[in-house]
């Protein structure tokens, strides 16, 4: 599903140049659950942003489902992102002015899904994630665990091929963090590919492979278990 070839990302200002990714080669197959670990500033989140098509590499190649993303115009990249990717962030990134229902529904509006289908899918997810009773609440009326369940529901509402999760348990206590990890593991068991950045060895071991980064490079890859 994902393959990179000598991926480089350099950030420049008038006074300094920072290489966030330095000739990174990674490969992720469909159906994998891969965790990316490493110290702060090692390039983990930059890699996630590039693979999520939020940011563009400075050089190198990025293939998604066999297509070289760097050669696509922005509009086409946006279409690929909307129809194939779901994002889960540490800070939830919910829209305060929208209800739980509206936050989850939002990606389906972007992809022009008919209203009846939207309603059915959103209600199905709220039921499955035990937040139906909060459907008309706003994010600030929810606990951290509830907000992250809403964020995960929003990420998967369009049935993406790939979920990109950046420290999804970072703002949660251990119980709520466990619940979110089990939701991600269940989604992976159903066939969704997951790439997750985490500082937690415990969370990383929910996956089948751990990629460790240092100074913008991949330094080790460890298989925990074979994926199906």
């Amino acid at each position: 599903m994902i393959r990179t070839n000598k991926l480089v990302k350099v950030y420049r200002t008038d006074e300094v140049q920072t290489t966030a990714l330095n000739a990174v080669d990674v490969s992720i197959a469909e159906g994998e659950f891969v965790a990316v670990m490493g110290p702060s500033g090692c390039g983990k989140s930059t890699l996630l942003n590039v693979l999520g098509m939020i940011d563009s590499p400075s050089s190198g190649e990025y293939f998604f489902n066999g297509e070289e993303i760097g050669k696509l115009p922005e509009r086409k990249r946006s279409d690929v992102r909307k129809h194939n990717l779901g994002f889960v962030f540490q800070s939830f990134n919910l829209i305060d002015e929208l209800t739980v229902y509206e936050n989850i529904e939002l990606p389906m509006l972007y992809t022009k899904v008919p209203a009846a289908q939207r309603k059915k899918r959103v209600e199905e997810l709220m039921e499955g994630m035990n937040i139906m009773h909060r459907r008309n609440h706003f994010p600030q009326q929810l606990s951290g665990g509830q907000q992250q369940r809403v964020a995960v529901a929003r990420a998967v509402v369009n049935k993406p091929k790939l979920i990109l999760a950046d420290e999804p348990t970072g703002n949660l206590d251990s119980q709520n963090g466990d619940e979110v990890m089990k939701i991600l593991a269940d989604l992976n068991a159903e066939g969704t590919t997951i790439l997750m950045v985490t500082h937690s060895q415990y969370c990383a071991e929910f996956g089948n492979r751990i990629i460790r980064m240092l100074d913008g490079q991949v330094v080790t890859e460890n298989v925990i278990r074979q994926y199906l």
Side-chain angles (χ1 to χ4, degrees), residues 157-207:
V157 71
N158 273 329
K159 300 183 179 178
K161 293 184 174 71
L162 172 67
I163 291 176
L164 298 162
D166 194 356
E167 296 282 2
T169 65
N171 282 337
L172 303 177
D173 59 35
S174 57
Q175 181 179 343
N176 282 308
D178 252 7
E179 289 179 7
V180 167
M181 288 311 305
K182 285 169 184 170
I183 289 169
L184 292 175
D186 287 345
L187 289 166
N188 178 246
E190 292 165 7
T192 305
T193 307
I194 297 176
L195 178 62
M196 176 182 70
V197 162
T198 182
H199 278 103
S200 165
Q201 182 70 31
Y202 172 76
C203 291
E205 289 179 3
F206 276 81

